[in-house]
Each structure stands twice: as C-alpha cells, then as structure tokens.
Amino acid sequence: MRDFERLKAAIIDELEREPHTHKSLRQTISDEHDCSENDVSQAISALHDAGVIEHEQGFFVHATD
C-alpha cells in the first residue's frame, strides 16, 4: 500500500507542474517510478474518484477549490 500512496503523491506532484492526458501521465509516472502503467492507471482512478484530480478538456489536472 505504501507504494500505491507514493504513486498517488507522484501523480499529484506531476499534475501540479502541468496537465497531462491519461496516456502521457501513465507513461511519465511509470517511467520515473519503474512501475507498470496499470498500477499508475489504478492510482489515477483512485485520485479521480476521490476528487483530488479532475479530467478537463482531455487532460488531467490537480483539482483546486
């Protein structure tokens, strides 16, 4: 579970820098953290379901209030 939390933190950090498509976010995070794109996709889904990240006009972004 700790690795899953690290992946979620890495996704948030990346999205705070710039928006990404689902594919580019999966590839970027999996390359940087030596994990599968499927693991990254699951972390993206968890963050999206929790409202931490949003999908806007084809890009994932860090949600802001």
Side-chain angles (χ1 to χ4, degrees):
M1 196 54 106
R2 182 175 138 104
D3 288 337
F4 191 66
E5 295 303 316
R6 285 184 23 209
L7 273 181
K8 292 192 309 187
I11 291 166
I12 292 168
D13 288 346
E14 185 64 30
L15 291 177
E16 286 176 340
R17 287 191 287 273
E18 65 181 312
H20 281 270
T21 64
H22 193 267
K23 182 177 180 177
S24 71
L25 186 56
R26 281 192 333 260
Q27 291 173 336
T28 299
I29 299 298
S30 67
D31 289 348
E32 289 177 0
H33 295 275
D34 195 30
C35 61
S36 74
E37 287 188 26
N38 186 54
D39 290 343
V40 177
S41 187
Q42 290 177 4
I44 291 169
S45 292
L47 290 168
H48 186 257
D49 291 347
V52 177
I53 62 175
E54 298 173 345
H55 195 254
E56 297 177 352
Q57 298 178 349
F59 291 90
F60 279 104
V61 296
H62 185 246
T64 56
D65 292 329

